[in-house]
Amino acid sequence: PAPAPAPEGAEGEAKEGEEKKDMEMEEAPKVEKKQAEDVFAVENVCDTGDGVPLFHKFSFEDWALLSLRLELHLLVHSFKKDANDEDRVGIHEQHLAFYYNKYYKKTFSVKYYGMETNSDLIGLVKDTVTILPENQVLKFSLGEDMENFDIFVKLTEEARRERLRRLDAGDTSAQLKFQKPDAPPPPPPQHQNNNKGGGGGYKGDKGGYKGGFKGDKGYDKGYKGGFKGDKGFKGDYKGGYGKGFKGDKGFGKGGYGKGFK
């Protein structure tokens, strides 16, 4: 037997309770996830607590600076190791673009970061690379041996917080002015109908392809008779080419034969 319908009053109260619950959920204030106080004390940059990564507030500029830190760090250390010369203490800041392109096969431009000089750009990542005032050579700030690259995430997050503090204090010089890359153009439209029509023409042309290739007796006889049984080819080879190579007085004995033997 079918269950008895619920009373109209009970059904109305249930709907009203669900609507009230939905409204309470919508009106509940969103609790902002607490960020780590000391970035350098974080053990796992991918989870600082409650599954929140240390880089969860990174913008496009922060990721670009993180990449720049890592690239310059590796560049300075690699140059010193590859040069293996005490007189070549490092890369001069004026040669930075040349060696950056040589190692990474990419163009180095300070304009991309909204800067005018290499010195201004290095100032953004001075926690990783600096310029020695006595000789204008790049000097690394971090050691070569490290267990992982988490330090670059921590340095970038610390620099991001410091930049925000300066902006909140009214220091407009802390504002980054990077040039964002242009979005790639959309792919060209595909004409599916034309492709299907072409496929039908290829599959349906049975008479020309199969009949001409497999059943053409003229082609078959010409191939077998001409290649396998052509006495002219075999005879020329034995009588003409063979004699010419082994016993031809002009070529074998008189010209090439004596020189070869």
Side-chain angles (χ1 to χ4, degrees), residues 75-81 83-93 99 130 132 134-140:
L75 176 62
V76 174
H77 279 287
S78 299
F79 177 85
K80 185 176 180 61
K81 181 177 294 186
N84 194 21
D85 188 351
E86 295 181 357
D87 295 334
R88 305 180 68 181
V89 294
I91 301 175
H92 195 279
E93 64 92 8
Y99 285 105
T130 58
L132 297 177
E134 60 270 18
N135 53 14
Q136 299 299 303
V137 169
L138 298 180
K139 176 67 175 178
F140 51 82

Side-chain angles (χ1 to χ4, degrees), residues 8-145:
E8 295 182 358
E11 184 177 357
E13 292 178 358
K15 288 184 178 181
E16 184 179 353
E18 292 178 358
E19 293 177 356
K20 185 177 181 181
K21 185 177 180 181
D22 293 340
M23 292 178 62
E24 290 178 354
M25 293 178 63
E26 292 178 358
E27 294 176 357
K30 295 182 179 180
V31 179
E32 185 177 357
K33 296 180 179 180
K34 186 179 180 180
Q35 63 181 9
E37 295 295 335
D38 185 3
V39 297
F40 298 103
V42 174
E43 296 182 358
N44 184 4
V45 296
C46 295
D47 186 2
T48 60
D50 297 331
V52 180
L54 186 62
F55 47 83
H56 76 287
K57 290 187 177 181
F58 276 17
S59 61
F60 162 77
E61 292 82 358
D62 296 310
W63 288 113
L65 289 174
L66 187 151
S67 177
L68 180 64
R69 284 182 171 91
L70 177 60
E71 290 175 343
L72 294 182
H73 169 81
L74 296 176
L75 176 62
V76 174
H77 279 287
S78 299
F79 177 85
K80 185 176 180 61
K81 181 177 294 186
D82 295 340
N84 194 21
D85 188 351
E86 295 181 357
D87 295 334
R88 305 180 68 181
V89 294
I91 301 175
H92 195 279
E93 64 92 8
Q94 293 183 356
H95 302 156
L96 176 57
F98 172 80
Y99 285 105
Y100 183 91
N101 176 264
K102 187 175 183 64
Y103 275 84
Y104 295 113
K105 308 301 180 184
K106 297 189 298 182
T107 301
F108 182 82
S109 175
V110 296
K111 301 291 185 182
Y112 169 77
Y113 300 95
M115 296 297 171
E116 296 294 333
T117 64
N118 290 336
S119 300
D120 295 336
L121 178 59
I122 296 300
L124 293 178
V125 292
K126 59 185 178 182
D127 48 27
T128 304
V129 177
T130 58
I131 299 178
L132 297 177
E134 60 270 18
N135 53 14
Q136 299 299 303
V137 169
L138 298 180
K139 176 67 175 178
F140 51 82
S141 302
L142 302 174
E144 181 180 4
D145 297 330

Side-chain angles (χ1 to χ4, degrees), residues 212-226:
F213 181 78
K214 292 186 176 180
D216 188 0
K217 294 181 179 181
Y219 177 82
D220 186 60
K221 287 183 177 181
Y223 176 81
K224 292 182 177 179

